[in-house]
Amino acid sequence: MKMFISLVGVSVLAWASMADARSWTNKDGRALEADFVSATDESVTVRLSNGREFNLPLASLSQADRDFVAQEVAKAKAAAPVVRAADAKFSGAPVKGHVVPKAATDVEKYALVRSLGDGTFKSHIGGVCVDAKDRVFAAGDKLVVVFDGEGKESARFNVEFNAGAVAPGANDTVWVANSSYSEPPSVVQYDMQGKKLGSLELESKKAPVTGLATFGDEVFVGTSGSGSIGRYKEGKLVNVIGRAPGARRGLSTCCGILDFCVDEQGYVSVAELGGHRVSVFDRDGNRIGTWGKEGRSAEQFTGCCNPVSIASLGKGRFVTSEKDVPRVKIYTGDEKVLEMCVDVNDIAKGCGQLDVAVDSKGNIYAAHEGKKCVIVLGPSK
């Protein structure tokens, strides 16, 4: 009840700008304009026009609102696929409401191994990714640098824009996104010599690209401005993840950041930092579930908005990163922090994105905003 009353004071702002929002009414007759996001047995999550999300106790709402929530929950359950451990179709992500296998608990202590690209990037480092051959791609300024599995530079090439998010492509190629807010967004495919091979026909002609990932011949493009992820095949948009058809915004983002990963089974895990959680979707855009919550403990996400980046270690384990109080953590399939990585205290400052990637050996690569390089965290002996 207290939460609902506190929202009434800001609801006037929502009335003027949310034509497609729903009007929620509490038992005292006070109304609030907000979008429906999700619900549990005890509360409903709604989003204001400024992107802020709040949980409203179902007991405080009118009967009409409670009936509406029940209908939405029923629709979601009917649309969501049933995931069972015996099916071996899910990677073991800690998704609430589904039976999933627990991950192994044999990860060792992590420590700083080395840094890559010291002195290479002068202005900024935008992103990092690792391909199937364990080659590391670091993107920043108007440059992409490639390192082999031993950390030695094997290639570099220039691009025509400020390089941001980056993702491995098929047949020794890489996808690179334009990170500039003053230029039209673009995602371009290059070979190892820097030859331009193609580009995507992006859904949005304005929103900057903030995240990239690939799965087979599909490319996934995240934009914080729309709070959504586009799935592309053969350069064309297939479907949108995280935003309903006709809606202006979808996922809860913040600070111009939206990162995600696609695991070995093709499930999309989104670092939904505005909601202090990770949301899991299938590639068709069906929401499978969420995990994580706001708090100060090691298992929770702290600060105004976290996590800012996520990568899959396979077998139900995930790496997440947080800004403000910089942390890099490994989660097991039961939503517990298996290891808190060290040596990252000065890795990011303010609202910067802390991009992470992993290789087949379990090493973690993080784009170090302060030093403008990639640091490598690995299991210590």
Side-chain angles (χ1 to χ4, degrees):
M1 187 67 173
K2 180 180 179 181
M3 176 63 74
F4 194 95
I5 292 174
S6 68
L7 290 178
V8 173
V10 297
S11 64
V12 175
L13 299 176
W15 290 336
S17 59
M18 296 188 69
D20 58 345
R22 188 178 190 280
S23 180
W24 302 84
T25 307
N26 71 357
K27 292 181 177 180
D28 295 329
R30 294 177 175 174
L32 168 71
E33 296 287 328
D35 287 318
F36 171 82
V37 177
S38 61
T40 66
D41 292 337
E42 297 180 353
S43 66
V44 57
T45 302
V46 299
R47 181 183 299 128
L48 298 177
S49 60
N50 61 8
R52 288 195 67 186
E53 293 186 359
F54 295 93
N55 293 324
L56 306 179
L58 287 176
S60 70
L61 299 175
S62 67
Q63 185 61 51
D65 287 336
R66 295 199 297 272
D67 291 343
F68 170 81
V69 171
Q71 292 174 2
E72 292 300 309
V73 171
K75 290 178 185 178
K77 288 182 178 179
V82 177
V83 181
R84 299 176 300 168
D87 291 334
K89 292 181 179 179
F90 199 69
S91 66
V95 177
K96 296 178 180 177
H98 295 276
V99 179
V100 294
K102 289 187 177 181
T105 56
D106 56 353
V107 175
E108 302 176 67
K109 295 287 184 180
Y110 270 62
L112 181 65
V113 176
R114 66 172 74 93
S115 60
L116 307 176
D118 296 87
T120 298
F121 301 102
K122 307 302 181 182
S123 177
H124 85 290
I125 181 166
V128 59
C129 72
V130 181
D131 69 4
K133 297 180 179 179
D134 279 346
R135 291 179 297 193
V136 181
F137 297 78
D141 298 337
K142 295 185 176 182
L143 179 68
V144 175
V145 183
V146 187
F147 302 90
D148 63 22
E150 302 300 320
K152 298 179 181 179
E153 183 177 324
S154 59
R156 67 165 57 196
F157 57 87
N158 295 314
V159 296
E160 298 176 348
F161 46 77
N162 287 320
V166 61
N171 303 318
D172 294 330
T173 64
V174 62
W175 292 92
V176 186
N178 184 348
S179 66
S180 175
Y181 279 75
S182 61
E183 301 174 2
S186 60
V187 176
V188 181
Q189 185 180 29
Y190 296 92
D191 65 15
M192 293 298 100
Q193 288 72 47
K195 179 181 178 181
K196 183 177 177 179
L197 302 177
S199 60
L200 303 180
E201 295 183 16
L202 297 179
E203 176 199 20
S204 173
K205 307 301 181 184
K206 296 181 180 180
V209 175
T210 57
L212 280 182
T214 53
F215 182 80
D217 59 353
E218 299 177 349
V219 184
F220 296 78
V221 180
T223 55
S224 176
S226 63
S228 63
I229 298 165
R231 174 189 175 196
Y232 293 82
K233 191 169 184 177
E234 297 179 351
K236 307 286 187 179
L237 179 68
V238 177
N239 61 271
V240 175
I241 299 170
R243 190 182 81 243
R248 293 191 301 266
R249 287 186 55 82
L251 297 161
S252 179
T253 64
C254 184
C255 301
I257 298 171
L258 178 61
D259 190 50
F260 59 95
C261 68
V262 183
D263 68 20
E264 70 273 23
Q265 300 297 330
Y267 285 86
V268 182
S269 294
V270 186
E272 198 172 358
L273 65 165
H276 293 90
R277 65 190 175 213
V278 174
S279 292
V280 186
F281 299 83
D282 65 19
R283 300 202 314 283
D284 292 325
N286 299 306
R287 185 187 287 268
I288 306 300
T290 64
W291 57 271
K293 58 185 177 180
E294 183 179 5
R296 295 182 178 274
S297 70
E299 293 87 357
Q300 297 170 323
F301 298 119
T302 186
C304 76
C305 41
N306 275 307
V308 294
S309 186
I310 186 169
S312 172
L313 276 167
K315 298 181 180 179
R317 297 178 301 177
F318 291 86
V319 177
T320 66
S321 65
E322 299 173 46
K323 60 180 177 56
D324 296 327
V325 180
R327 300 195 292 188
V328 177
K329 301 182 294 191
I330 299 173
Y331 282 83
T332 66
D334 56 2
E335 200 178 338
K336 297 296 183 182
V337 176
L338 191 60
E339 181 61 50
M340 181 83 74
C341 298
V342 298
D343 296 313
V344 295
N345 289 333
D346 63 341
I347 195 170
K349 302 187 184 302
C351 280
Q353 183 165 350
L354 177 50
D355 200 26
V356 292
V358 298
D359 65 15
S360 64
K361 301 180 182 65
N363 294 309
I364 300 170
Y365 298 82
H368 197 304
E369 186 185 60
K371 296 181 179 179
K372 299 180 178 61
C373 67
V374 175
I375 63 169
V376 186
L377 301 167
S380 59
K381 305 301 181 180

